[in-house]
Every structure is written in C-alpha cells, then in structure tokens.
C-alpha cells in the first residue's frame, strides 16, 4: 500500500478495504479538490472505478457526509444520480464509495444557445427527480424547514444592514412578506442544492451529485432553487419562466412561495459574497444579480 500515498491518512483497516475491494487491483488514485474536511479521491481499479469520500468522525463536516450517505442509500435505481456502491464507518472514519461519474463528465452548461444540448437534458432530469423521489424513502431526511432556516439566518444578516448597503431591500421585503414556510412542506426527497456545479453530464445522461444538502419537502423547491442559474447563464427571466413551466413540480409551487424562496436564495448569495471563499465571490456576485432579476420578474407576476 506504500505505492498509494493518497491513502496514507486513512486507517489500515480502510486502506485494506479499498485496495482489496471490488475495484480489483488499483491502477492509480487521483486526489480531487473538495471544500469539505476529509478526502476525495478517484480510485481506478481493473474492474471498477469509484469516487471515494472519507472523513474523520470528529470532522466538523461529518453531518454533511451522513446526510449524503442517508440520501444516497435511499435513492431508487432509476434516479438520475450516482450509485453509492459501499459505505463503512470504522476506526474513527466514515467512508462513502460511489460509482465514478465525475471522471470525464462535464458540469451542465445552461447556455441559451438554441443548439445547446444540455438544457433539455437538465430539465428532463429535474422532472425525473421530482417524480421518482415522491414520496422519498429516506426516513432520516431533515425537513425542508432546516434548509430554509439556514438561508433565513444569512438573509437576516443582510437585511439588518443599512439601506445604503443592501441594494433592493424593498424587493426582498416584498417577497418575504407573503412567504409561508408551511407551503414548502411535502414528502419529496429534495437535493437541496441543484446547480450546474452539481449536475454532471456524461454520455448524454444527467447525474445529480453531492446530496449533502438533501431534505424532505415540496417537489417544487428543487426547481425553484435551480431557476436563477438559468438567468445567470444568459436567459431572460421570461425565457426562464417558459423553461420552468415544463416542470410539473414548479407549476404546483405557489408563486408567492417561489418568490420568497428566491429572495432567501439571493440574500444567501449576497452573504456569500461577503463571507464566502474569496475564489468564489465573483460567481456569487453574478448569481446574486441573477437572483434579483428573477425575483423582480416573479413579483411582477403576483
């Protein structure tokens, strides 16, 4: 096992599981950058390639790994997501081994170019997620209330700023005035963070990856959180609305709740501009601008 220094941080028992596991003899291991505490590796074996996540049980991100594991174990075979092949918790570490989708897969490209092939695939995948994950079978999934509460905390931080600091305060306050969290309750297993970053396309198939924000709620929540990304990619709000109309779950979400959720999402992006990773702040700025434009469009419909 000295041939694979990438595994050196892991306990001997886990290294044995990986090296002698279903992948077959290992050809190579490629580290993958991750924003979480722990390891992310592409492990290439003669029989199988896997995406391996591992974190110490004392990790501050352990809850994200546990939430992802619970959601992944409950996903039906026809869900457009990577399969969790095996998982173990031993010697103070939690390990998740997925079928390797990320290798040679591209992030979804939400281009408004009429010849773009990704957008129809993404819309179809979002529809399928809402269909096959209703009702969701992950009994440990947190309620959507938890997801929204975390966004509320960031939103309140921004709303408490001086009017000269937060541009468009009235827009956000109007949207949140009619927001009713109870309307987001439901029995669908939600991804909770759909974005081009978490939608991978390989061989004409879309896969929703990273289920660490999974929760249980109304099926319309996932498409509502994805919609601003179309505006950021270059679609007009009007065109974005036409795209979203092809998703039944979006049509079932009350307009006032879509607006409130968009307001929280946008304020969370503004919070990330101030407090998030420096390298991602330009992206968060673009997303917050897109969120504002999409929110103004939604409010005009009310």
């Amino acid at each position: 096992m000295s041939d694979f220094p990438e595994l050196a941080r892991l306990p001997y028992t886990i290294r044995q599981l990986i090296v002698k596991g279903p992948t077959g003899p290992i050809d190579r291991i490629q580290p993958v950058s991750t924003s979480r505490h722990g390891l992310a590796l592409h492990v290439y074996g003669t029989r199988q390639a896997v995406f391996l996540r591992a974190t110490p049980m004392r990790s501050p991100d352990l809850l994200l790994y546990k939430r992802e594991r619970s959601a992944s174990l409950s996903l039906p075979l026809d869900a457009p997501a990577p399969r969790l092949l095996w998982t173990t918790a031993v010697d103070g570490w939690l390990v998740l081994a997925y079928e390797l989708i990320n290798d040679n897969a591209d992030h979804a490209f939400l281009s408004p170019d009429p010849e773009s092939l990704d957008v129809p695939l993404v819309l179809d995948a979002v529809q399928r997620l809402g269909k096959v994950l209703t009702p969701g079978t992950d009994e440990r999934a947190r309620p959507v209330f938890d997801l929204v509460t975390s966004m509320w905390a960031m939103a309140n931080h921004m709303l408490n700023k001086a009017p000269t600091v937060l541009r468009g305060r009235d827009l956000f306050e109007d949207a949140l005035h009619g927001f009713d969290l109870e309307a987001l309750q439901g029995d669908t297993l939600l991804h909770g963070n759909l974005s081009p970053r978490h939608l991978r396309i390989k061989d004409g198939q879309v896969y929703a990856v990273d289920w660490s924000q999974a929760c249980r709620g109304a099926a319309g929540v996932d498409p509502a959180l994805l919609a601003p990304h179309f505006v950021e990619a270059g679609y007009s709000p009007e065109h974005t609305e036409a795209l979203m109309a092809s998703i039944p779950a979006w049509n079932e979400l009350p307009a006032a709740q879509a607006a409130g959720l968009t307001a929280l999402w946008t304020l969370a992006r503004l919070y990330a501009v101030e407090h998030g990773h420096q390298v991602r702040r330009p992206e968060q700025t673009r997303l917050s601008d897109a969120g504002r434009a999409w929110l103004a469009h939604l409010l005009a419909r009310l």
Side-chain angles (χ1 to χ4, degrees):
M1 284 182 286
S2 59
D3 293 337
F4 303 107
E6 298 87 355
L7 303 179
R9 288 178 57 191
L10 295 171
Y12 175 81
T13 304
I14 295 178
R15 298 201 306 269
Q16 285 284 94
L17 285 174
I18 297 170
V19 172
K20 297 184 177 181
T23 58
I26 295 176
D27 291 329
R28 61 189 175 96
I29 296 177
Q30 177 183 335
V32 181
S33 62
T34 177
S35 59
R36 299 190 208 171
H37 291 83
L39 294 176
L41 305 170
H42 289 178
V43 180
Y44 300 89
T46 56
R47 292 194 299 269
Q48 191 178 54
V50 301
F51 174 47
L52 192 97
R53 286 192 183 276
T55 195
M57 287 296 192
R58 295 182 179 180
S59 166
D61 290 335
L62 179 62
L63 180 59
L64 299 178
Y65 287 84
K66 285 187 172 181
R67 190 183 296 143
E68 181 174 15
R69 178 183 64 178
S70 183
S72 297
L73 287 171
S74 77
L75 294 175
L77 291 177
D78 54 348
R83 303 276 74 77
L84 180 59
L85 301 174
W86 59 269
T87 179
T88 188
V90 64
D91 290 345
W93 281 72
L94 175 63
V95 183
L96 310 175
Y98 289 91
E99 63 174 319
L100 183 54
I101 297 300
N102 296 23
D103 193 37
N104 297 323
D106 296 320
H107 295 300
F109 184 47
L110 305 183
S111 169
D113 185 338
E115 297 184 1
S116 173
L117 300 178
D118 286 9
V119 170
L121 295 175
V122 167
L123 294 173
D124 178 69
V126 175
Q127 288 187 55
R128 289 169 55 204
L129 283 171
K131 182 177 180 180
V132 303
L133 298 182
T134 304
T137 60
D138 182 4
E139 296 181 355
R140 296 183 179 181
R142 59 180 179 158
V144 69
F145 174 85
D146 286 8
L147 175 68
V148 176
T149 297
S150 65
M151 289 194 287
W152 260 116
M154 292 181 278
N156 281 330
H157 179 89
M158 300 307 299
L159 290 170
N160 287 333
K161 290 183 174 295
T164 54
V165 176
L166 180 61
R167 177 171 58 90
R169 175 190 296 272
D170 291 346
L171 191 72
F172 298 119
E173 291 180 341
D174 288 347
L176 293 173
H177 178 72
F179 185 58
D180 179 12
L181 179 55
E182 290 299 318
L184 302 183
Q185 303 302 317
D187 62 355
T188 298
L189 179 63
L190 303 168
H191 180 277
N193 194 18
L194 284 184
S195 70
R197 184 183 300 275
H198 296 133
L199 292 169
R200 300 297 182 99
I201 297 182
K202 182 177 182 179
D203 300 329
Q205 171 72 47
V206 174
Y207 298 86
V209 303
D210 187 354
W211 288 75
S212 60
Q213 297 300 323
C215 57
R216 185 178 63 257
V221 171
D222 269 347
L225 296 177
L226 178 62
H229 291 278
F230 286 96
V231 180
E232 191 272 335
Y235 285 93
S236 69
E238 293 76 14
H239 197 171
T240 297
E241 182 175 7
L243 293 175
M244 302 307 294
S246 69
I247 302 175
W250 164 261
N251 295 322
E252 296 171 2
L253 187 68
Q257 310 320 316
L261 196 56
T262 300
L264 292 178
W265 182 92
T266 304
L267 287 165
R269 304 287 79 73
L270 289 168
Y271 181 91
V273 171
E274 289 192 357
H275 303 282
H277 293 293
Q278 186 73 35
V279 70
R280 293 194 61 188
R281 289 183 182 179
E283 176 192 11
Q284 298 296 339
T285 298
R286 295 193 305 272
L287 288 171
S288 65
D289 289 342
R292 277 195 178 100
W294 177 233
L295 179 57
H297 175 77
L298 292 176
L299 288 175
R301 296 170 53 219
L302 294 179

